[in-house]
Amino acid sequence: MAPQGRGCLDDISKLDFGEDQKLLILKAIDKPSAIEIEKWKKVVDILTSKAVSNPKNGRIAAKICDGIAKSEISQLPEGDEKYFRKLLLTSLQQEYKKHQKQDYTNHKSWIGFVNFLCGIFDILHVNNMPLMALIVPVYEVLGVLTDAQFIKDESAIQCLVVQLQFIGEELDRLNKAKMDKLIEKLREVLLSPTTTQLSSLMLLEILELRSGNWKLSPAAYKYYYEEDAKA
């Protein structure tokens, strides 16, 4: 029987890992008991670096992290030290602090990090629950994307909207008060004179989605999707 976690092999092939990096990731999936803590740190560093190097990589890297975590949990005996998730959370915290110190000036890398963090929250579950330690950080990073420096950046607004499409309902269920505050920020961005027309449309869709309990009404679906298809 193939080790649990090998479902992410297609995702590994989508990212341009070096041969040594790929072999180490595969070893972490196939035989986690043979990985020492320093190698676990290297696995986490490889995935984090790849995730933030390109916004398109974030969710793919998160799927690989999920595969590794599943393998570690399923293959190591109960009571044995599980390193991967702990080291991953530490790495996410360090990467977040680094961007804070840089005042989020590297938009491309920041968006890659947001996609990665939100992907981990959405995909990597323990006992069918997301990692609860990430709820506040996820709200924080999404809130950053409503700051003035990002309002003109359609890629940043798209990142915000797409992540809310993925995880907005779950975040709302886990902390409605924080979602209320985030939605208020979205309304402020929508009203800003510097917000582009495309960003406004994306924000309107999310506001409609939340007001409809994270399900678009038939009329809203037709407006955002069927009309676009005719254009």
Side-chain angles (χ1 to χ4, degrees):
M1 182 181 293
Q4 187 174 357
R6 270 194 158 252
C8 69
L9 292 187
D10 286 345
D11 296 300
I12 293 172
S13 68
K14 293 175 184 176
L15 300 183
D16 186 25
F17 292 112
E19 192 60 31
D20 289 346
Q21 294 176 331
K22 185 176 179 180
L23 288 173
L24 182 58
I25 291 170
L26 289 173
K27 186 177 181 181
I29 293 170
D30 290 338
K31 201 170 182 182
S33 60
I35 305 285
E36 310 91 8
I37 186 168
E38 290 305 317
K39 290 291 180 66
W40 276 121
K41 289 178 181 177
K42 190 171 182 180
V43 169
V44 170
D45 288 345
I46 289 168
L47 289 166
T48 302
S49 177
K50 187 63 70 174
V52 303
S53 68
N54 187 323
K56 294 180 180 179
N57 292 348
R59 191 168 179 85
I60 300 172
K63 291 179 181 179
I64 298 170
C65 288
D66 180 55
I68 294 172
K70 283 178 178 175
S71 285
E72 189 182 31
I73 291 169
S74 65
Q75 293 188 53
L76 294 186
E78 189 174 347
D80 277 20
E81 187 75 29
K82 310 294 192 299
Y83 291 114
F84 181 70
R85 273 183 295 150
K86 291 180 182 178
L87 292 171
L88 178 61
L89 289 174
T90 298
S91 178
L92 290 170
Q93 185 180 48
Q94 291 171 345
E95 188 70 20
Y96 186 11
K97 287 180 178 178
K98 183 184 81 174
H99 282 284
Q100 284 180 314
K101 287 181 180 178
Q102 296 171 349
D103 198 26
Y104 315 105
T105 50
N106 187 335
H107 284 202
K108 181 181 176 182
S109 179
W110 172 245
I111 290 170
F113 173 73
V114 174
N115 287 338
F116 186 42
L117 177 67
C118 293
I120 293 294
F121 177 81
D122 186 31
I123 298 165
L124 203 165
H125 286 192
V126 177
N127 298 324
N128 296 317
M129 288 292 292
L131 300 178
M132 304 303 281
L134 295 183
I135 296 172
V136 171
V138 166
Y139 267 117
E140 288 177 356
V141 301
L142 293 177
V144 169
L145 292 176
T146 67
D147 290 350
Q149 64 171 300
F150 292 105
I151 290 179
K152 294 181 182 179
D153 188 342
E154 288 181 349
S155 63
I157 300 301
Q158 183 181 38
C159 170
L160 172 60
V161 167
V162 168
Q163 295 311 322
L164 284 174
Q165 288 171 336
F166 278 126
I167 62 176
E169 185 173 8
E170 181 81 335
L171 286 173
D172 205 353
R173 182 180 67 80
L174 293 169
N175 195 321
K176 182 178 180 298
K178 286 191 178 295
M179 181 58 72
D180 288 340
K181 291 179 180 179
L182 181 59
I183 291 296
E184 191 57 40
K185 287 184 177 180
L186 264 60
R187 290 195 178 99
E188 291 172 6
V189 174
L190 180 63
L191 296 174
S192 170
T194 57
T195 302
T196 69
Q197 184 177 9
L198 177 58
S199 292
S200 295
L201 284 172
M202 290 189 287
L203 291 166
L204 278 169
E205 181 184 350
I206 283 298
L207 294 174
E208 286 258 12
L209 196 60
R210 206 273 176 131
S211 66
N213 292 319
W214 302 100
K215 292 177 179 59
L216 279 177
S217 67
Y221 184 90
K222 182 177 181 180
Y223 176 79
Y224 290 113
Y225 296 105
E226 293 181 11
E227 293 302 318
D228 284 348
K230 294 176 185 176

